[in-house]
Amino acid sequence: MRTAEPAPAGTLGAGRDSSRCAGHDSSHGAPLSPIAIDADLRRIVGPEHVEIRPAALVPYRTDATFGFSGVPQAVVRPGSTEEVARILRWADRHRIPIVPRGAGTSLAAGAVPVQGGVVLALTRMDRVVAVDPVDLTAVVQPGVTTQTLARAVAEYGLHYPPDPGSQRVSTLGGNVATNAGGLHGLKYGNTGGYVLGVEAVLADGEVIRAGGRLLKDVAGYDLVRLLTGSEGTLAVLTELTLALRPAPATSRTGLAYFADLEAAGEAVRGIVAAGVLPATLEFLDAHCVRAVESYARLGLDTTAGALLLFGDDGGAPEVDRTLHVMAETARSHGALSVQVATAAAESEALLAARRCALPALSKLGGATMLEDVGVPRSRLPELVRRIDEIAARHGVTIATFGHAGDGNAHPVGCFDPGDARQRAAVAAAFDDVFAVAVELGGTITGEHGVGAAKLPYLAAQLGGAQVALQARIKRAFDPKGILNPGKLGS
Amino acid sequence: MRTAEPAPAGTLGAGRDSSRCAGHDSSHGAPLSPIAIDADLRRIVGPEHVEIRPAALVPYRTDATFGFSGVPQAVVRPGSTEEVARILRWADRHRIPIVPRGAGTSLAAGAVPVQGGVVLALTRMDRVVAVDPVDLTAVVQPGVTTQTLARAVAEYGLHYPPDPGSQRVSTLGGNVATNAGGLHGLKYGNTGGYVLGVEAVLADGEVIRAGGRLLKDVAGYDLVRLLTGSEGTLAVLTELTLALRPAPATSRTGLAYFADLEAAGEAVRGIVAAGVLPATLEFLDAHCVRAVESYARLGLDTTAGALLLFGDDGGAPEVDRTLHVMAETARSHGALSVQVATAAAESEALLAARRCALPALSKLGGATMLEDVGVPRSRLPELVRRIDEIAARHGVTIATFGHAGDGNAHPVGCFDPGDARQRAAVAAAFDDVFAVAVELGGTITGEHGVGAAKLPYLAAQLGGAQVALQARIKRAFDPKGILNPGKLGS
């Protein structure tokens, strides 16, 4: 389903589906002129918060996904829920697509305006409204970055566990809209587990509030969780109430090398069987270990077939105990060597191997295509073995790292961006990878989302009846199809 | 909104809305005769699993909710997903209401056939399909009781944390359908946090599977969480994949008396501020303490204004630490006295005070009306104070116990069931209690659900736009309105 033509000159990426990238569908009623769009939006948010100049719109054609682009007609930056509501009432009246956007770090083309329309950038709504250390909640606007919240709550001795890889820049609105994951899924779960309440603007401009500063609330269908992960296709999130936890007193990390991923997988089984739910349990395959070492010179053992990072947080005696159990379990399951950090700086050094996996891989061939599949934890070694077979069959390099604790793997296709044949082969290999993930009882996306990139694969996982049901849910929220069209529910 | 007429002779409860209890709506096409219903259902499930005799249907007229009843035309007990699918295809064709039912322990009239139709009892589908100690998952049919699962996973050294009060008899299908809570919400969350996947039959008989043995899966709208808590109004759950955790090594409990609930609330603030997330944090007001002591002679201090039970589980050193912190925090916040159990039997004895609150209260006036409101944790003392004021204003007795950790309170109206004026006054007082819960940023139902009992109050919490949206979601799943009509989405 991926096309492999080189990026056309003048765009930042290749529109893989360029026939749908021609501004908003004219069947949506008489289209407004760019001048009229500009004038209408300026009246709502003020002239300094609207852009229609093509050069200024270039950054909004793409997000962080390789090979997807669209052509927005405008970008608008509202400053309040009321402005969002007015924009949606206007868009609803004129049937203009609205593409909500945070920091634009989507890896599934979730923020690409594939059917044109107006990009609704929520980055101005960036206020931490409240942190409550008794209710253990934070109330934030959607444009607050993950890291900003983490720092704000740390001042109260509190902890917001979800930490997607892009947390330095990604926004909480985007995190919630995609139910973003991170490194601590096994112990702490994903973003969705921390969303207690939302304020959201429906497609017709109506403002609703669901949930709140409540750990228990079963009044009605769970719209908080339905909107979480709905990728801007059901409503626009304008305020979030998030759950916090007490900050763990300490955290520590260890590292083990194995001959292959099967052996690392056996160690993971052993750790879980020993009753430990580690805060961190990450793996790198041999490709990744070698790429990271060549990139960052961390002193990794490049002869190893797999690297397992393990870590925990909490009270010091308990962390000492779980680190000891994990290190001993790794040893008794054939680890080639095991290191356990004794100090925070050493823990950070070990984690660096995982953190620089993606930049290191991007040096290998020149370009990378990052994927995101998931399987039950017990099937992860089999998944990676099958990915290796697929890569060999297609004659491409796919390196895999990911979350051994929660079964979420990130295979990365490495290729020369100027070599169309290589690119096509990587795309074809990923088609096979998705099919294998589904065959193993898994998912085509563990944490990146569906966006435009995964939509063609969704029915293979969910079945036609469920995809049809999802489209009916979409219509219940957005009968005119103006919210992020060409994505979920389409 | 509650009516107060005595129960009509010949029913087990008072149909508070008896105009809607007259069999299925004849506007749903030409109604089938009882004989035809019987014959059709017998063909699907076999003759021994269908009942249409009025005497045999009596238990299916009500659930555990005071004052609600309906008149079902039949009860059918399918043995497989395929049989459920065939029953729904049949019901869809004939527009016959289907009321899914587990153990019938609903406290919100969620399982009452208020519009008649066929009760779909899922108790025969009671198989624990699989327990996987590596993936930390259990796969169960909906008729498995909560306690059966808890025991099945304990054999693997695993733990299924949700423990609704009715766990000995309540089914997991019912727990998931209502997103049931329990005593450990603050540390462990509710049932919804443990539902990884569902198999469900849609209103037209189509079978879907959403989620699976996966901690991370963002492929599409989160139907797992939308169906969780949908109270049988969107689909019939036929298989559940649930998350497990390692069993905690130990657990311990303590008890503190306070002069009033405000003081107990200050201790709760102090415990959370000290960075402890206790597994148990329950309260009883003075009415409850006195009722329990008079009922069970546990040696409680009946002069105290409030009792706080606190407990934790995990590794022994950490539990020692958190129990010490909680006991010291209670003392430094004015506790009249504090006891900490040193052995498991002693912990059980302390918990008995909480466990027998409801039976003890039912001895007070003869009948009880149990309610279920929630507020942010910090507002709980204010809620209970306002409940006391409301009770005084209406001249009724309302005793309150509940979950201090998660803000969920259970006010219990105690009255003489033969005294219609008392009953009406309790019902009127609860109308005021719901309004106060919403005013304090809370909910009309923390864990019992909406059912038929809370439906009239839903718009006061959610607003008309959101209730209308919920009705559109209902129609996206069940356009003919056959699934548990007169409940959520109606």
Side-chain angles (χ1 to χ4, degrees):
Chain A
M1 295 300 230
R2 287 164 186 266
T3 61
E5 62 281 13
T11 74
L12 287 182
R16 289 190 218 174
D17 195 2
S18 53
S19 65
R20 294 158 79 185
C21 302
H24 79 278
D25 183 347
S26 62
S27 72
H28 283 170
L32 287 186
S33 71
I35 304 294
I37 289 175
D38 192 38
D40 288 352
L41 292 175
R42 282 164 177 252
R43 262 192 295 274
I44 298 172
V45 298
E48 66 277 35
H49 302 304
V50 184
E51 271 295 351
I52 62 161
R53 293 170 303 151
L57 295 178
V58 167
Y60 299 95
R61 290 183 174 191
T62 57
D63 55 26
T65 318
F66 179 86
F68 281 82
S69 71
V71 182
Q73 296 172 288
V75 58
V76 58
R77 298 184 193 86
S80 68
T81 300
E82 174 51 29
E83 287 181 2
V84 173
R86 289 178 63 196
I87 292 166
L88 287 184
R89 280 197 294 274
W90 167 86
D92 182 66
R93 196 161 53 242
H94 298 289
R95 292 182 178 249
I96 291 175
I98 292 289
V99 182
R101 182 182 178 106
T105 56
S106 171
L107 292 163
V112 173
V114 292
Q115 296 187 18
V118 172
V119 171
L120 184 76
L122 292 150
T123 41
R124 275 181 69 214
M125 294 177 66
D126 64 351
R127 204 156 50 86
V128 176
V129 178
V131 175
D132 189 316
V134 177
D135 290 336
L136 296 178
T137 53
V139 178
V140 299
Q141 291 187 312
V144 173
T145 68
T146 324
Q147 189 174 74
T148 299
L149 176 66
R151 288 179 177 168
V153 306
E155 289 177 26
Y156 294 85
L158 299 176
H159 181 42
Y160 175 69
D163 65 339
S166 52
Q167 61 172 315
R168 210 170 46 78
V169 294
S170 66
T171 64
L172 290 161
N175 292 176
V176 174
T178 59
N179 190 5
L183 296 193
H184 308 304
L186 173 55
K187 183 167 181 175
Y188 289 116
N190 307 321
T191 299
Y194 296 85
V195 189
L196 299 178
V198 297
E199 177 190 75
V201 183
L202 302 180
D204 62 1
E206 190 81 53
V207 180
I208 64 167
R209 296 189 77 96
R213 298 185 183 199
L214 298 165
L215 288 184
K216 283 178 173 172
D217 177 11
V218 292
Y221 301 135
D222 193 344
L223 297 193
V224 174
R225 287 302 295 257
L226 181 58
L227 293 176
T228 300
S230 66
E231 303 187 11
T233 64
L234 299 182
V236 176
L237 303 173
T238 47
E239 192 181 272
L240 310 165
T241 303
L242 302 171
L244 307 173
R245 297 174 60 95
T250 185
S251 75
R252 278 172 64 205
T253 306
L255 180 157
Y257 295 101
F258 293 88
D260 51 42
L261 258 168
E262 267 77 12
E266 287 302 316
V268 168
R269 282 173 179 263
I271 288 168
V272 172
V276 175
L277 270 195
T280 306
L281 202 52
E282 298 285 308
F283 75 94
L284 279 72
D285 75 0
H287 298 292
C288 293
V289 173
R290 290 195 297 268
V292 167
E293 185 55 25
S294 138
Y295 173 78
R297 303 288 171 204
L298 299 171
L300 304 182
D301 175 1
T302 55
T303 68
L307 183 158
L308 190 68
L309 272 165
F310 52 90
D312 202 8
D313 59 13
E318 179 65 6
V319 171
D320 285 349
R321 187 188 74 82
T322 58
L323 266 281
H324 177 75
V325 169
M326 291 193 280
E328 285 310 304
T329 305
R331 285 192 185 99
S332 66
H333 286 75
L336 305 174
S337 72
V338 178
Q339 298 167 245
V340 176
T342 49
E346 204 182 335
S347 282
E348 281 306 305
L350 296 182
L351 284 170
R354 169 69 177 81
R355 292 238 169 82
C356 58
L358 195 56
L361 291 170
S362 67
K363 299 291 176 191
L364 277 190
T368 53
M369 206 183 279
L370 169 66
E371 270 308 340
D372 169 49
V373 290
V375 290
R377 182 185 306 121
S378 59
R379 316 296 294 268
L380 193 58
E382 184 177 355
L383 173 72
V384 179
R385 187 172 53 70
R386 299 278 294 272
I387 290 173
D388 287 347
E389 289 169 10
I390 288 167
R393 197 161 63 238
H394 289 270
V396 297
T397 300
I398 299 182
T400 304
F401 63 88
H403 316 291
D406 58 36
N408 184 202
H410 296 302
V412 182
C414 307
F415 59 97
D416 173 354
D419 182 337
R421 195 208 57 79
Q422 260 191 43
R423 236 177 97 173
V426 168
F430 277 135
D431 284 358
D432 293 354
V433 169
F434 301 150
V436 165
V438 171
E439 179 196 326
L440 296 177
T443 178
I444 58 169
T445 174
E447 61 184 6
H448 292 172
V450 173
K454 289 288 177 69
L455 197 62
Y457 304 91
L458 199 58
Q461 178 178 336
L462 303 184
Q466 192 172 162
V467 169
L469 175 60
Q470 301 228 345
R472 293 198 300 275
I473 295 169
K474 162 76 172 176
R475 281 197 298 274
F477 279 82
D478 178 20
K480 296 181 185 172
I482 64 167
L483 285 174
N484 212 357
K487 313 287 174 66
L488 268 185
S490 298
Chain B
M1 295 299 229
R2 286 166 186 265
T3 61
E5 62 280 13
T11 72
L12 287 183
R16 289 190 219 176
D17 196 1
S18 54
S19 64
R20 293 157 81 186
C21 303
H24 78 279
D25 182 347
S26 63
S27 72
H28 283 170
L32 285 186
S33 71
I35 304 293
I37 289 175
D38 192 38
D40 286 353
L41 292 175
R42 281 164 177 254
R43 262 192 295 277
I44 297 173
V45 297
E48 65 276 36
H49 303 304
V50 183
E51 271 296 351
I52 62 162
R53 291 171 303 152
L57 295 178
V58 166
Y60 300 96
R61 290 181 175 193
T62 56
D63 55 24
T65 318
F66 179 85
F68 281 83
S69 72
V71 182
Q73 296 171 286
V75 57
V76 59
R77 298 184 192 87
S80 67
T81 301
E82 174 50 30
E83 288 181 1
V84 173
R86 289 178 63 196
I87 292 165
L88 288 184
R89 280 197 294 274
W90 168 84
D92 182 66
R93 194 162 56 240
H94 297 291
R95 295 183 176 247
I96 291 176
I98 293 288
V99 182
R101 182 182 178 106
T105 57
S106 172
L107 292 163
V112 173
V114 291
Q115 296 187 17
V118 172
V119 171
L120 184 75
L122 292 150
T123 41
R124 275 181 69 214
M125 294 177 66
D126 64 351
R127 204 155 51 84
V128 176
V129 178
V131 175
D132 189 317
V134 177
D135 290 335
L136 296 178
T137 53
V139 178
V140 299
Q141 291 188 313
V144 173
T145 68
T146 324
Q147 188 176 73
T148 299
L149 177 66
R151 288 180 176 168
V153 308
E155 289 177 25
Y156 294 86
L158 298 176
H159 181 42
Y160 176 69
D163 65 340
S166 53
Q167 61 173 316
R168 210 169 45 78
V169 294
S170 66
T171 64
L172 290 161
N175 292 174
V176 173
T178 58
N179 190 7
L183 297 193
H184 308 304
L186 173 55
K187 183 168 182 175
Y188 288 116
N190 307 322
T191 299
Y194 296 84
V195 190
L196 300 177
V198 297
E199 177 189 76
V201 183
L202 302 180
D204 62 1
E206 190 81 54
V207 180
I208 63 167
R209 295 189 77 94
R213 299 185 183 199
L214 298 165
L215 289 184
K216 283 179 175 172
D217 177 10
V218 291
Y221 301 135
D222 192 342
L223 296 193
V224 174
R225 287 303 294 255
L226 180 58
L227 292 178
T228 300
S230 66
E231 303 187 10
T233 64
L234 299 183
V236 177
L237 302 173
T238 48
E239 193 182 270
L240 311 164
T241 302
L242 303 170
L244 307 173
R245 298 175 60 97
T250 185
S251 75
R252 277 171 66 204
T253 306
L255 180 157
Y257 294 100
F258 294 87
D260 51 42
L261 258 168
E262 266 77 10
E266 287 303 316
V268 169
R269 284 173 178 263
I271 288 168
V272 173
V276 175
L277 268 195
T280 306
L281 202 53
E282 298 285 308
F283 75 94
L284 278 72
D285 74 0
H287 297 292
C288 293
V289 173
R290 289 195 297 268
V292 167
E293 184 54 25
S294 136
Y295 173 77
R297 304 288 170 202
L298 298 173
L300 304 183
D301 175 0
T302 55
T303 67
L307 183 159
L308 190 67
L309 272 165
F310 52 90
D312 202 9
D313 60 13
E318 179 66 5
V319 171
D320 286 347
R321 187 187 75 80
T322 58
L323 267 282
H324 178 75
V325 169
M326 291 193 281
E328 286 308 304
T329 305
R331 285 192 186 100
S332 68
H333 286 76
L336 305 174
S337 73
V338 178
Q339 298 168 243
V340 176
T342 50
E346 204 183 336
S347 282
E348 282 306 306
L350 296 182
L351 284 170
R354 168 68 176 80
R355 291 238 169 83
C356 58
L358 193 56
L361 291 170
S362 68
K363 299 290 177 192
L364 277 190
T368 53
M369 209 184 277
L370 170 65
E371 271 308 340
D372 169 50
V373 291
V375 290
R377 183 182 309 121
S378 59
R379 315 296 293 271
L380 194 57
E382 185 177 353
L383 173 72
V384 179
R385 186 173 53 70
R386 299 277 296 271
I387 290 173
D388 287 347
E389 288 169 11
I390 289 167
R393 196 162 64 239
H394 289 269
V396 297
T397 301
I398 299 182
T400 305
F401 63 89
H403 315 290
D406 57 36
N408 183 199
H410 297 301
V412 181
C414 307
F415 59 96
D416 173 353
D419 183 337
R421 196 209 57 79
Q422 259 192 42
R423 237 177 96 172
V426 168
F430 277 135
D431 283 359
D432 292 354
V433 169
F434 301 149
V436 165
V438 171
E439 179 196 325
L440 296 177
T443 178
I444 58 168
T445 174
E447 59 184 7
H448 293 172
V450 174
K454 291 287 178 71
L455 197 62
Y457 304 90
L458 199 58
Q461 179 178 337
L462 301 183
Q466 191 172 161
V467 169
L469 175 61
Q470 300 228 348
R472 294 199 299 276
I473 295 169
K474 162 76 173 177
R475 281 198 296 275
F477 279 82
D478 178 19
K480 296 181 185 171
I482 64 167
L483 286 173
N484 212 359
K487 313 287 174 69
L488 269 185
S490 295

